[in-house]
């Protein structure tokens, strides 16, 4: 997997989950925040999408927005959309939030270049407990949204730290 940008265009990352109303919007917003805090907001484009079309056009789940707001993030502009083949072309990195998304995206990859853009969120920032999937909080208890956001913050921080030197060098 190539994580090093090699052009002066912004580095584009898309985060993908099932419905694009919980996990992937969190990752999109958090990753964008890390880029802005590092003064690289103009060098990084963060977006998100779903493997399914159930929620296309909808806002993020209210519990997602609440969890983001409690930590100082703004997810109010998010609208769910489904991942398309064109997203492989538009993005430098495609980050799956769990292994089921990774399998789906791998099956949608048209070329080896598409497949090389795939990464699993928690494989970028391995956890001590060996967990590879960011759990879906949709059917969980309300506090699960905060727990999932914490996992996403840790993984996003690690991903940004990996990418930052290369992004800075292209500025």
């Amino acid at each position: 997997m190539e994580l090093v940008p090699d052009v002066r265009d912004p580095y584009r990352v898309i985060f993908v989950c099932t419905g694009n109303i919980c996990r992937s919007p969190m990752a999109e917003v958090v990753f964008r925040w890390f880029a802005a805090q590092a003064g690289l907001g103009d060098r990084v484009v963060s977006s998100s999408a779903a493997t399914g079309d159930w929620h296309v056009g909808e806002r993020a789940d209210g519990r997602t927005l609440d969890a983001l707001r409690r930590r100082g993030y703004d997810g109010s502009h998010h609208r769910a959309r489904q991942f398309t083949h064109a997203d492989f072309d538009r993005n430098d990195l495609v980050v799956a939030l769990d292994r089921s998304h990774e399998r789906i995206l791998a099956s949608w990859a048209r070329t080896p270049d598409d497949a090389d853009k795939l990464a699993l969120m928690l494989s970028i920032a391995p956890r001590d407990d060996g967990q590879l999937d960011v759990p879906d909080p949709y059917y969980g208890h309300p506090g699960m949204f905060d727990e999932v956001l914490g996992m996403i913050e840790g993984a996003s921080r690690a991903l940004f730290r990996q990418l930052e030197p290369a992004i800075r060098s292209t500025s």
Side-chain angles (χ1 to χ4, degrees):
M1 161 184 52
E2 176 77 25
L3 291 180
V4 179
D6 59 358
V7 296
R8 293 205 171 264
D9 291 333
Y11 191 77
R12 297 178 183 279
V13 180
I14 187 167
F15 298 92
V16 183
C17 72
T18 307
N20 193 218
I21 59 169
C22 297
R23 294 170 285 178
S24 59
M26 285 181 182
E28 171 188 352
V29 168
V30 168
F31 193 78
R32 183 178 305 126
W33 183 88
F34 278 113
Q37 292 302 302
L40 295 171
D42 62 334
R43 302 291 310 132
V44 176
V45 174
S46 173
S47 63
S48 63
T51 57
D53 64 359
W54 309 280
H55 300 288
V56 169
E58 294 178 20
R59 294 177 58 133
D61 186 285
R63 297 164 295 177
T64 297
L65 294 172
D66 290 344
L68 287 166
R69 194 173 312 113
R70 280 191 291 276
R71 300 252 180 110
Y73 304 109
D74 179 10
S76 65
H77 299 290
H78 175 77
R79 294 296 177 269
R81 68 179 195 80
Q82 188 173 18
F83 189 90
T84 68
H85 286 120
D87 286 311
F88 281 118
D89 300 330
R90 283 191 290 260
N91 289 281
D92 300 295
L93 182 62
V94 178
V95 181
L97 275 286
D98 71 28
R99 288 172 290 176
S100 70
H101 308 129
E102 184 182 42
R103 283 189 296 274
I104 291 167
L105 292 165
S107 75
W108 291 348
R110 301 158 298 177
T111 66
D113 285 342
D114 287 353
D116 286 346
K117 292 179 179 184
L118 293 175
L120 182 61
M121 185 92 175
L122 293 185
S123 70
I124 295 167
R127 292 173 46 98
D128 293 337
D129 62 8
Q131 186 172 346
L132 291 175
D133 296 332
V134 175
D136 188 349
Y138 189 78
Y139 294 107
H141 58 86
M144 191 171 177
F145 283 81
D146 293 303
E147 294 167 19
V148 166
L149 180 54
M151 294 173 76
I152 288 170
E153 285 175 320
S156 293
R157 180 180 299 107
L159 173 58
F160 187 75
R161 284 182 180 156
Q162 272 187 1
L163 295 172
E164 184 179 14
I167 293 168
R168 282 197 187 283
S169 71
T170 63
S171 295

